[in-house]
Amino acid sequence: HDGPLFRDVPHRSYLIYTGDESFFLPGDAALKLADADFFRCYYGRGVTAAFINLYQAVSPEGHAFLRRLNPQRIFLSHLPLPGDDRNNFWHLAEQAVKNFPRDLPSLERLEQMAWVDGEPADWAAPH
């Protein structure tokens, strides 16, 4: 975590592999360049998608991390429900999308409870 209040609060970041896809979920971690090298090299495969928060999307350290991690897609997550957005995070998210570095994949903002590809999974029960 970033900032003196959260410096000693433990956090976990995850790199999840499923089939041919891999997803990076950093939670609220302060993204460090050395960690990107670890995630890139530890499993030896590329990252399909990274799901980042607003702070990670606007910080220079987050940008450097994402350049090194090199995900195919980047999604902005961890936003409040629109009715609970007392701090204008959705407005800040729009600005983050508009001002995201052009040398990175476009920052994609997901609607709440949305499927990434727009189509729900086919989880039919086996017969």
Side-chain angles (χ1 to χ4, degrees):
H1 286 85
D2 198 12
L5 291 176
F6 305 105
R7 190 163 320 217
D8 296 324
V9 176
H11 70 272
R12 300 283 187 272
S13 296
Y14 297 95
L15 185 59
I16 299 171
Y17 284 104
T18 176
D20 293 330
E21 297 181 309
S22 58
F23 307 103
F24 177 67
L25 302 129
D28 287 335
L31 301 177
K32 306 288 184 208
L33 211 50
D35 295 333
D37 290 334
F38 173 79
F39 279 110
R40 261 179 48 120
C41 298
Y42 187 75
Y43 291 103
R45 298 194 328 193
V47 175
T48 306
F51 293 83
I52 61 172
N53 68 27
L54 188 55
Y55 177 78
Q56 295 158 340
V58 299
S59 72
E61 294 84 3
H63 298 161
F65 178 94
L66 291 166
R67 285 183 186 101
R68 184 74 55 91
L69 186 67
N70 195 29
Q72 294 172 19
R73 296 175 77 181
I74 303 172
F75 296 97
L76 186 57
S77 63
H78 207 36
L79 293 171
L81 291 169
D84 296 331
D85 189 12
R86 293 186 290 268
N87 296 310
N88 293 314
F89 285 131
W90 281 87
H91 175 72
L92 295 171
E94 289 174 21
Q95 295 303 313
V97 168
K98 287 180 189 173
N99 297 312
F100 204 63
R102 301 288 179 236
D103 63 326
L104 288 167
S106 296
L107 182 59
E108 300 179 56
R109 189 179 47 127
L110 294 173
E111 297 301 322
Q112 295 290 336
M113 302 302 291
W115 295 93
V116 170
D117 63 3
E119 297 293 328
D122 182 12
W123 289 338
H127 294 58

